[in-house]
Amino acid sequence: MSTAALVEKIRSDGQARVAGINNNRDKKIAEIEERLANEVNELEQEYQERIERETRLIKERVGSRARLEQRKNLLAAKWEVIERVLESAQTQVLEDEKYPQLIKDIVERYAPSDSVVRLSAADTEKFGRKLGVELGEPAGIKGGVIIEKKKQRQILDFSVEETLGAIREELASELAGLLFPESGSRKRGDKGR
């Protein structure tokens, strides 16, 4: 083989080798690019799922807080209405023309002769002396009577505040049901709200 043919063969073999190496390199680059693209897709999908899950959790928390706030506001409104109803009842009791007689009946029934009777300042002035019992200093109440039994060291509180407070505790749910009938049916029918 001549030198020129030998050089041509070496050149041809070298070019074939370069082409093979380039081809191999291109395959490896394509494999790496494909693998990277798959990894990027998997990461994007994983992060998208995570974002959706966290978004759903945030929405659930916000919804839960909103429902809790709504229930809290509704409860506050119910208590405000109940308080207004009880204040109105207190005013009506104190302004009733039979109120002095009611106080007199309570004193006669529950205050033995050794008792001290305490009324509100207004009631002491209006009709306290007509009760025919020993009056103590006016009590810090709006109405009703407080009877202090000396011998038994017992205090009986028939004040309007005490009476309405007891009624408030006993009848709060009943009053709420009467004033807000839709919430009672909602409670029974829809436990999730």
Side-chain angles (χ1 to χ4, degrees):
M1 193 186 253
S2 72
T3 313
L6 186 59
V7 170
E8 190 56 40
K9 181 169 180 2
I10 292 172
R11 187 179 288 156
S12 173
D13 285 347
Q15 286 175 347
R17 243 180 168 175
V18 167
I21 290 171
N22 285 340
N23 193 15
N24 213 6
R25 180 199 67 205
D26 292 344
K27 283 182 184 177
K28 291 287 184 191
I29 289 174
E31 287 174 6
I32 291 170
E33 286 176 348
E34 184 181 347
R35 190 171 58 228
L36 286 175
N38 287 339
E39 287 176 7
V40 166
N41 284 338
E42 287 176 13
L43 287 172
E44 285 177 350
Q45 186 177 2
E46 182 181 321
Y47 281 113
Q48 184 62 33
E49 289 172 0
R50 183 182 292 175
I51 288 169
E52 289 173 3
R53 184 173 53 249
E54 289 178 5
T55 302
R56 190 172 51 251
L57 288 173
I58 290 169
K59 285 180 180 178
E60 288 173 6
R61 285 185 200 128
V62 168
S64 177
R65 285 184 189 149
R67 286 188 299 275
L68 181 62
E69 192 64 30
Q70 181 183 16
R71 282 187 292 229
K72 195 168 91 174
N73 290 340
L74 181 62
L75 183 61
K78 287 178 182 181
W79 275 109
E80 184 177 333
V81 170
I82 288 170
E83 288 300 320
R84 286 183 186 174
V85 167
L86 292 175
E87 284 175 16
S88 174
Q90 176 179 312
T91 302
Q92 289 177 9
V93 166
L94 296 176
E95 292 175 355
D96 190 312
E97 62 185 41
K98 296 178 184 177
Y99 170 70
Q101 183 60 45
L102 174 67
I103 298 300
K104 184 176 182 181
D105 292 345
I106 290 172
V107 168
E108 287 175 357
R109 183 170 182 186
Y110 295 103
S113 59
D114 69 327
S115 299
V116 175
V117 173
R118 297 178 64 206
L119 305 170
S120 69
D123 291 348
T124 300
E125 222 176 278
K126 283 182 190 173
F127 57 85
R129 289 176 185 77
K130 295 178 184 177
L131 294 176
V133 293
E134 180 183 345
L135 291 178
E137 289 293 317
I141 57 176
K142 293 184 180 181
V145 60
I146 297 176
I147 301 170
E148 297 174 3
K149 294 183 176 182
K150 291 180 182 178
K151 284 184 183 176
Q152 297 152 338
R153 294 184 182 186
Q154 184 180 21
I155 297 177
L156 302 175
D157 189 346
F158 294 100
S159 65
V160 173
E161 292 92 332
E162 180 69 23
T163 304
L164 290 178
I167 290 172
R168 178 183 299 113
E169 296 303 317
E170 289 178 22
L171 301 179
S173 63
E174 186 176 332
L175 283 173
L178 292 171
L179 296 171
F180 304 98
E182 76 285 347
S183 66
S185 62
R186 191 179 315 146
K187 274 185 189 172
R188 280 180 249 117
D190 186 7
K191 294 180 182 176
R193 293 191 181 204

